[in-house]
Amino acid sequence: MNNQNQAVLYLRLSKEDVEKLNEGDESASITNQRLLLIDYALEHEYKIVKIYSDDDESGLYDDRPGFEEMMRDAKLGLFDTIIAKTQSRFSRNMEHVEKYMHHILPNLGIRFIGAVDGVDTFDSANKKTRQINGLVNEWYCEDLSKNIRSAFKAKMREGQFLGSSCPYGYVKDPENHNHLIIDEYAAGVVRKIFDLYLQGYSKAKIGSILSSENILIPSLYKKQVLKENYHNAHLLETTKLWSYQTIHSILNNETYIGNMVQNKVNKISYKDKKKRVLPKSQWIRVEGTHEPIIDKDTFMRAKELQKIKTKAVNNQESDNIFAGILFCGDCKHTMGRFYKRRGGHGSAGYICSTYKRMGKQFCTNHTIRNEELMEAVLASIKEQARIILTEDDIDDLSKIQKGNERELFYQKQMDMIDEQLEKFRKFKKKTYTNYLEEMISKEDYSFYTAQYEEEISKLNLQKEEIIKKMENDNELQEQYDEWAEAFRNYIDVDKLTRDMVIELIQRIEVRENGELDIYYRFRNPYVAG
C-alpha cells in the first residue's frame, strides 16, 4: 500500500430501496453494502479510513448528513478515494454527477470507484459511461416519482392518511397506520379551544390561556409525550408558547370533524425539495374517514364566527355582543356604534354605517339604542323558546309535515328570500346609476357591487337548500328537534349574552322605523317591534 490508498466507504439506502428489500433484494441493504465494500477494499489493498452512511435518504439531493460530512472531510484531505457500491449510491442526479465527479473530486485529487458497476473517475475513457449512467439513474428517479405520486393519490382518494405526523388530537391506528384514532388528552385540548372560541375569546387570548396552564404546544407534545422524531428538534425548545397561527390552524382543520383533506402541496420537481401550495380545486377531500373530535355544527359555527371581528378582553365578554350580526335593513351594510355626547362614556346604540360615512343620499340613519335592541332580541328569543317548547305547539308544528301546510311553511321562506333578492338587485341598479352620475367613485362602485353579488349568491344557495329539504319528508321534524334542543335553556333567561346570540341568531336587520328582522340559524324569520 502507498499514501494514496487511504479510502472511505459510502453507503446509502433510500425509501425506494426499502421497497425493493421487501420484495427480496437484500443486496441493497446497508449491512450488505458495508460487507461488499469492505471485501472490495481489502481485495484491492485499500486502507479504510472511515465509513459514511445515509439511511432513508434520496440520491437526488446532496444535503444528506453522511454525504455532507464526507465532502467536508474530503476538503480537509483526510482520504484520497471514495468507494461506493455503484454510482447511483453516490448520486442519482445528473447535475450532481457532473458537479462532484467531474469537477469537485478531481480538483481535490480524489478518486471515485463504483465497486459493482465499474465506474472509476481515474479512467478518462470511463467518463461517457458515467454520464450515461447518470442519465439512466435520473430517468429511473423521474419514472419512480411519477409512479409514487400516482399511488399516493390513489390512496388519498380512498381516504387513507399518508402524513408522517398526525394532526394534533390524533395518533396512527396501531393496526392500520393509514387510519387515525383519537388521542384523548390532546383531543380534550382541541375541544377546549373550540369552546373558548365560541365563548368569544380571541385566538391570541386562547393561546395565552393554554400557555398559562402549561399545556404543551403540539410539536413539543408529539416529541415529549408521543416520542415522535423531529428533524428540527433543536428549534422546539424556543417555541413553547401557543401562537395565534396554531389556534387558527386547529379551528380550520376539517380533520376534527372526521374528514381527510390531503394533496394540498406538491414538489415543484422530483429533483427539487421545494414545494408549492395547490389550489383548493386540486385538494383531495374524503368525508367520514375517522372518528370526529368536534361535531360539524360546532365546527361551522367557529368558521362563521371567524368572519366576525370580536374578542373577549381578559376574562370579560366583549360589550359588543352583536358584532358582525347587526345590519341595516335597507342598504344591508353593518350597523356601527354611536356614542354618548354628554354625561358619560361608552356606546349609546347603533347607526347605519353607510349613513354615518356617506350621508343621507345613500341611506337613512336606522338608529336603535342599546336598551331597545337588547330588550327586543331577548323578548324574541324567549317567545321562540315558549313556542317551541310548549307541547301543544310542538304537536301543531309536527303537523306541518303533512300536505299543503308543510309546503306553505317552505313557501313562506322562499318568498322571504325572493324579497331579499329583489332588494339586492335594486341596490345594484341604484349603485350603477350613482356611478354613472359620478356620485360615487369606481372603487366604491366595485366594492358595493361585489358585496351585493355575494349576498345574492348566498340567498340563491339558501333557496337550493330549501328545495332539497322539501324533497325530504323527515327534514322538517328534524329541524324542529334542533330548535327545541337549542332553545331548551332559554325559556326563562333574563339576560342576553354573546354566547346566546351567536348560538341562536344568524343575522339581525334594523328597519328604518326601528323594527327588527331577526333571522335565526334555523331559517325561521321573526319580526320584532
Side-chain angles (χ1 to χ4, degrees), residues 380-433:
S380 168
I381 290 174
K382 293 173 75 171
E383 180 177 341
Q384 292 294 321
R386 281 193 298 271
I387 291 173
I388 290 174
L389 298 179
T390 300
E391 290 183 0
D392 292 340
D393 286 332
I394 289 178
D395 290 339
D396 290 339
L397 291 170
S398 65
K399 295 176 183 176
I400 298 177
Q401 289 186 45
K402 300 177 182 179
N404 294 333
E405 290 185 4
R406 180 175 179 273
E407 293 181 7
L408 287 172
F409 173 80
Y410 282 119
Q411 190 58 53
K412 183 177 180 181
Q413 296 185 60
M414 295 279 278
D415 291 343
M416 179 195 72
I417 291 174
D418 286 337
E419 183 181 343
Q420 294 299 313
L421 283 169
E422 183 61 27
K423 280 186 180 181
F424 281 119
R425 293 188 183 108
K426 287 181 179 178
F427 292 147
K428 278 186 65 179
K429 185 177 180 179
K430 184 176 180 181
T431 302
Y432 181 65
T433 302

Side-chain angles (χ1 to χ4, degrees), residues 104-212:
I104 294 178
L105 294 182
N107 289 338
L108 294 172
I110 293 174
R111 180 183 188 180
F112 174 83
I113 295 175
V116 173
D117 59 5
V119 169
D120 186 346
T121 56
F122 271 23
D123 182 358
S124 58
N126 191 249
K127 183 176 182 180
K128 290 183 180 179
T129 301
R130 296 194 296 273
Q131 291 174 327
I132 292 172
N133 284 345
L135 190 57
V136 171
N137 285 328
E138 191 164 304
W139 286 342
Y140 166 79
C141 286
E142 184 176 10
D143 290 341
L144 184 65
S145 175
K146 289 179 181 178
N147 292 336
I148 289 175
R149 284 188 186 186
S150 178
F152 277 5
K153 285 187 177 180
K155 290 182 177 180
M156 288 177 184
R157 292 188 185 99
E158 292 175 357
Q160 297 186 38
F161 176 72
L162 301 182
S164 57
S165 178
C166 298
Y168 181 70
Y170 288 97
V171 292
K172 291 182 180 180
D173 188 338
E175 298 180 0
N176 178 4
H177 285 186
N178 297 123
H179 179 252
L180 300 179
I181 58 176
I182 291 177
D183 171 10
E184 286 300 338
Y185 172 80
V189 178
V190 172
R191 295 185 189 104
K192 180 172 184 173
I193 289 170
F194 276 87
D195 288 343
L196 289 172
Y197 191 70
L198 292 181
Q199 288 175 32
Y201 290 93
S202 69
K203 295 170 186 176
K205 181 60 181 176
I206 294 171
S208 177
I209 291 172
L210 299 180
S211 298
S212 68

Side-chain angles (χ1 to χ4, degrees), residues 210-382:
L210 299 180
S211 298
S212 68
E213 294 177 359
N214 295 317
I215 296 175
L216 291 175
I217 61 173
S219 53
L220 281 178
Y221 176 77
K222 292 177 182 181
K223 178 191 176 189
Q224 296 180 12
V225 179
L226 301 183
K227 306 300 181 184
E228 291 186 11
N229 293 323
Y230 280 83
H231 293 299
N232 295 324
H234 63 285
L235 298 176
L236 297 179
E237 300 303 322
T238 63
T239 55
K240 295 181 179 180
L241 300 179
W242 285 80
S243 67
Y244 170 96
Q245 187 57 45
T246 300
I247 304 299
H248 177 80
S249 298
I250 288 174
L251 289 172
N252 290 279
N253 191 342
E254 280 193 53
T255 304
Y256 297 121
I257 57 172
N259 297 344
M260 190 70 67
V261 184
Q262 300 181 103
N263 199 48
K264 292 184 177 181
V265 297
N266 71 356
K267 286 185 179 179
I268 295 175
S269 166
Y270 71 96
K271 295 171 64 175
D272 198 324
K273 290 186 177 181
K274 293 180 180 178
K275 297 181 179 181
R276 65 185 177 92
V277 178
L278 295 175
K280 287 187 177 181
S281 60
Q282 295 183 32
W283 292 3
I284 297 177
R285 182 175 178 273
V286 183
E287 296 185 1
T289 60
H290 53 275
E291 185 180 355
I293 292 174
I294 302 297
D295 65 82
K296 189 173 182 180
D297 181 62
T298 298
F299 184 80
M300 295 309 297
R301 281 171 55 203
K303 283 190 74 70
E304 289 178 13
L305 190 55
Q306 288 179 74
K307 300 174 183 178
I308 303 170
K309 295 182 179 179
T310 181
K311 63 182 179 179
V313 181
N314 296 325
N315 292 327
Q316 303 297 319
E317 291 187 40
S318 168
D319 62 341
N320 187 7
I321 66 174
F322 298 103
I325 291 176
L326 195 63
F327 296 87
C328 172
D330 287 318
C331 74
K332 306 302 178 182
H333 290 109
T334 56
M335 298 285 286
R337 289 198 280 185
F338 66 87
Y339 296 86
K340 301 173 183 177
R341 295 184 178 181
R342 299 176 184 176
H345 301 284
S347 167
Y350 294 83
I351 188 171
C352 172
S353 59
T354 302
Y355 170 81
K356 186 177 180 180
R357 185 165 64 93
M358 303 179 68
K360 61 182 179 181
Q361 65 204 52
F362 293 96
C363 199
T364 55
N365 56 34
H366 291 72
T367 55
I368 186 168
R369 302 190 70 81
N370 286 330
E371 298 80 5
E372 297 171 359
L373 178 61
M374 296 280 281
E375 182 179 345
V377 174
L378 185 59
S380 168
I381 290 174
K382 293 173 75 171

Side-chain angles (χ1 to χ4, degrees), residues 72-86:
R72 285 195 298 269
D73 290 347
K75 293 174 182 178
L76 295 175
L78 300 184
F79 55 85
D80 50 58
T81 303
I82 298 173
I83 305 174
K85 178 186 173 184
T86 61

